[in-house]
Amino acid sequence: ISNLIILIPLAIISGPFFSDLIVSVSALFFLLYCLIKNQFKYFNNNFFKLFILFWIYIVGLSFFSENIIVSFKSAFPYIRFGIFVIFISFIIQNNKNFLERFSISLILVYCVILFDSYFQFFFNQNIIGLVSPSKNRLSSFFGDEMIVGSFLSRLFPLVLFCILILSNKYNEKIKFLSIILLILSDVI
């Protein structure tokens, strides 16, 4: 399952289905693992307790919605995100190479999107030949959604964190990569 989680940065590019599927399957897997092994100690922390209160609040608000069924269908499964965060914590504690592998995956996907955006800017199509639907905005691999700027700006703090993780393990010169990525991302 940790190998599946490493694919989340790549799955985000394809749309919400695969990334949400990975989160749901991982959360279900971890919940089953905890039930079988009777390991509920992972859920006994302040973060999860606060998250459960928030989840109960949004599920409770569903009963006051105009369309209760639709609201409940979107609010109830939200618990998978809290379980997923606990699962990520579990993986980090039990799989020493996970953070390094996830960092490399995220930085690689980020750099490919960044390179593709520049390629599309200069040649009016991305590296696989997709043309942006708008002449004023870039789309990269996202097609009609044109969310490449949002993708880059929202993931940059996480990429920066991953660069710092890798720089502690490898060498200080990799921190220079963060400055380069910041400048290149800001321009896009």
Side-chain angles (χ1 to χ4, degrees), residues 35-98:
L35 285 171
I36 291 170
K37 299 282 187 177
N38 201 17
Q39 295 287 323
F40 295 105
K41 64 181 180 184
Y42 301 110
F43 298 99
N44 190 19
N45 61 52
N46 291 335
F47 163 77
F48 194 72
K49 290 174 186 176
L50 184 64
F51 180 81
I52 289 296
L53 289 176
F54 175 71
W55 178 70
I56 290 170
Y57 173 73
I58 63 172
V59 168
L61 286 178
S62 297
F63 292 110
F64 299 105
S65 174
E66 288 181 17
N67 195 341
I68 295 173
I69 302 296
V70 171
S71 180
F72 190 73
K73 280 183 181 179
S74 65
F76 188 76
Y78 196 75
I79 194 165
R80 71 187 182 276
F81 295 114
I83 297 170
F84 181 72
V85 170
I86 301 296
F87 181 52
I88 294 295
S89 173
F90 171 79
I91 289 176
I92 290 171
Q93 291 172 5
N94 294 304
N95 186 345
K96 301 300 180 201
N97 295 327
F98 174 76

Side-chain angles (χ1 to χ4, degrees), residues 124-139:
N124 295 327
Q125 66 180 9
N126 70 354
I127 55 178
I128 60 171
L130 295 175
V131 178
S132 178
S134 171
K135 292 182 179 185
N136 300 330
R137 294 182 65 188
L138 300 173
S139 64

